[in-house]
Amino acid sequence: MPSHPKSIAYIDFLKETSIEYITSYMRWVYLRKKTSEGAFNIYSDIESEVIHYRRINVIFNTVMTLEFMISFINIIMGFVISCTHTTAGNSSISNFFSGGMWLILGLLFLKLSSQNRKKVKKLTLENSINN
């Protein structure tokens, strides 16, 4: 948490490196640095950056899996409703529409996860070359 003594010490350290602390919300801390003062990088080594991206990927993959499951359930329900109830046309259409929307969101998180995996692969390769 940003109010933890170790977090406060780390934020003070970042301020000494010309990184400006903006605000915090729950576990998120918002920082910025002027581009004229160099690149903005809060990682001291590649391994910690890889760990960060892998942690993000766990979240992306979890959300993506849930969205694909919800999409599948909605589409199946749409088929079941349309096959068993001849007068339930609007209900099955809403299930197909909802399933499609969840599928699109799942595909979005698949793309984000793929981009993160590429970053991890690139950083891991870079780390192996440097060591």
Side-chain angles (χ1 to χ4, degrees), residues 17-89:
T17 62
S18 70
I19 294 175
E20 184 182 355
Y21 169 81
I22 304 300
T23 190
S24 64
Y25 176 73
M26 296 175 69
R27 291 185 173 266
W28 290 89
V29 176
Y30 296 91
L31 307 165
R32 71 178 172 191
K33 182 176 181 176
K34 292 182 180 178
T35 54
S36 62
E37 296 176 0
F40 182 81
N41 191 0
I42 60 171
Y43 299 104
S44 58
D45 57 47
I46 292 175
E47 289 177 31
S48 61
E49 194 169 357
V50 167
I51 290 169
H52 171 73
Y53 284 119
R54 284 186 176 152
R55 195 176 306 143
I56 290 173
N57 238 15
V58 167
I59 295 168
F60 283 170
N61 289 336
T62 302
V63 171
M64 175 188 62
T65 302
L66 290 171
E67 287 174 348
F68 283 146
M69 287 173 30
I70 292 169
S71 171
F72 180 73
I73 290 168
N74 272 286
I75 291 170
I76 294 298
M77 285 176 56
F79 279 119
V80 168
I81 291 170
S82 67
C83 291
T84 57
H85 298 88
T86 56
T87 59

Side-chain angles (χ1 to χ4, degrees), residues 115-131:
Q115 291 172 343
N116 257 9
R117 280 193 301 275
K118 287 178 185 175
K119 285 181 188 177
V120 167
K121 187 175 181 179
K122 178 183 171 189
L123 289 169
T124 304
L125 178 64
E126 185 179 321
N127 195 29
S128 67
I129 291 172
N130 290 340
N131 290 333

